[in-house]
């Protein structure tokens, strides 16, 4: 179960609702941190960085790991409960951080939040928000 933290057209409830498209933005449940039980952890390559695409637009948002090993990326993500990206792993032309710390794609997809720690900015991202595929092979990094 997860609590819905933002659905502009629905009141927050304690009941899970599937992702919902809204005319203003893509709305994704933000309180589900059980990404570790997905196939992601076992299927992600350990040999090279992985590109994470916006689940709505297909634009690349993150490339990780950069400046650390995949084991370090997964360890940090597991310790916080969310896939956690650092500044050097962000594709800045496709992602923004709002004044309140919310991370969104330039197309309005809610991604997660910036939760800085002693190492700097840490973008805790809902895995379903970056589980897209490129819509155009020219967008592959």
């Amino acid at each position: 179960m997860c609590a819905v933290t933002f659905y502009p057209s629905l009141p927050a409830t304690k009941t899970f609702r599937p992702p919902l498209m809204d005319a203003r933005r893509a709305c994704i449940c933000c309180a589900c941190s059980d990404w570790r039980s997905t196939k992601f952890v076992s299927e992600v390559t350990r040999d090279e960085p992985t590109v994470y695409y916006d689940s709505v637009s297909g634009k690349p948002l993150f490339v990780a790991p950069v400046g650390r090993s995949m084991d370090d990326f997964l360890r940090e993500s597991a310790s916080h409960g969310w896939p956690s990206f650092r500044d050097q792993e962000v594709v800045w032309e496709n992602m923004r951080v709002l004044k309140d710390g919310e991370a969104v794609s330039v197309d309005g997809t809610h991604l997660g939040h910036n939760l800085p720690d002693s190492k700097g900015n840490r973008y805790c991202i809902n895995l379903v928000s970056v589980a897209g595929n490129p819509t155009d092979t020219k967008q592959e990094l």
Side-chain angles (χ1 to χ4, degrees), residues 65-80:
V66 172
R68 58 183 171 163
S69 69
M70 180 57 84
D71 287 339
D72 289 342
F73 168 73
L74 292 173
R75 189 173 17 263
E76 179 178 58
S77 296
S79 72
H80 297 295

Side-chain angles (χ1 to χ4, degrees), residues 23-91:
R24 294 167 293 194
R25 66 193 294 168
C27 303
I28 303 290
C29 176
C30 182
C32 301
S33 60
D34 197 16
W35 66 277
R36 292 165 287 191
S37 65
T38 68
K39 291 183 179 182
F40 167 76
V41 174
S42 62
E43 291 182 357
V44 70
T45 181
R46 266 55 171 184
D47 301 328
E48 59 188 348
T50 299
V51 179
Y52 299 86
Y53 296 92
D54 185 322
S55 59
V56 176
S57 73
K59 292 179 181 175
L61 298 169
F62 303 95
V63 180
V66 172
R68 58 183 171 163
S69 69
M70 180 57 84
D71 287 339
D72 289 342
F73 168 73
L74 292 173
R75 189 173 17 263
E76 179 178 58
S77 296
S79 72
H80 297 295
W82 298 93
S84 297
F85 300 94
R86 296 296 178 162
D87 284 332
Q88 68 271 17
E89 297 168 326
V90 178
V91 179

Side-chain angles (χ1 to χ4, degrees), residues 60-141:
L61 298 169
F62 303 95
V63 180
V66 172
R68 58 183 171 163
S69 69
M70 180 57 84
D71 287 339
D72 289 342
F73 168 73
L74 292 173
R75 189 173 17 263
E76 179 178 58
S77 296
S79 72
H80 297 295
W82 298 93
S84 297
F85 300 94
R86 296 296 178 162
D87 284 332
Q88 68 271 17
E89 297 168 326
V90 178
V91 179
W92 286 109
E93 65 196 48
N94 297 327
M95 206 243 339
R96 301 286 179 266
V97 180
L98 306 180
K99 289 180 183 179
D100 66 356
E102 179 184 8
V104 296
S105 75
V106 294
D107 296 304
T109 307
H110 170 80
L111 303 174
H113 295 87
N114 179 22
L115 302 172
D117 62 12
S118 62
K119 297 177 187 174
N121 290 321
R122 179 171 49 89
Y123 306 98
C124 296
I125 303 300
N126 188 324
L127 187 58
V128 72
S129 299
V130 293
N133 293 306
T135 55
D136 183 344
T137 56
K138 294 176 188 172
Q139 291 179 346
E140 292 185 30
L141 295 178

